[in-house]
Amino acid sequence: MPCLYALPDAANALGGISVWTLRKHISNGQIRVVHIGRRIFLDGAELERIRREGLPSLRSRTVQDQEEPCVTK
């Protein structure tokens, strides 16, 4: 039987990242989860994958991609 981690436990196991950061990655489809009723769990294999590969940045645009603000006088 696979080992399942609740989101707070998984966040702690990943170095204390925020549960909301995990939720953002889940909603972006970057983390596979297991639903049991209304609860959300990470499988132990998925947790190990995240430890190996890391998580991509949640920033939608880099600072270089941002346009200069329009200044009018």
Side-chain angles (χ1 to χ4, degrees):
M1 183 165 176
C3 184
L4 299 176
Y5 294 87
L7 290 186
D9 297 330
N12 192 30
L14 291 171
I17 65 172
S18 166
V19 171
W20 295 108
T21 299
L22 276 182
R23 288 183 182 276
K24 225 18 169 170
H25 284 288
I26 292 166
S27 69
N28 288 343
Q30 298 164 337
I31 298 177
R32 294 181 297 273
V33 295
V34 176
H35 292 271
I36 300 178
R38 294 180 60 147
R39 297 187 66 194
I40 302 172
F41 297 91
L42 265 71
D43 183 78
E46 182 69 0
L47 192 65
E48 286 304 314
R49 182 192 68 81
I50 294 168
R51 283 185 182 151
R52 267 193 329 273
E53 299 174 11
L55 291 171
S57 174
L58 288 172
R59 294 183 64 180
S60 59
R61 293 172 21 170
T62 64
V63 175
Q64 296 172 353
D65 293 339
Q66 294 177 359
E67 296 177 12
E68 292 294 322
C70 182
V71 179
T72 59
K73 293 185 179 185

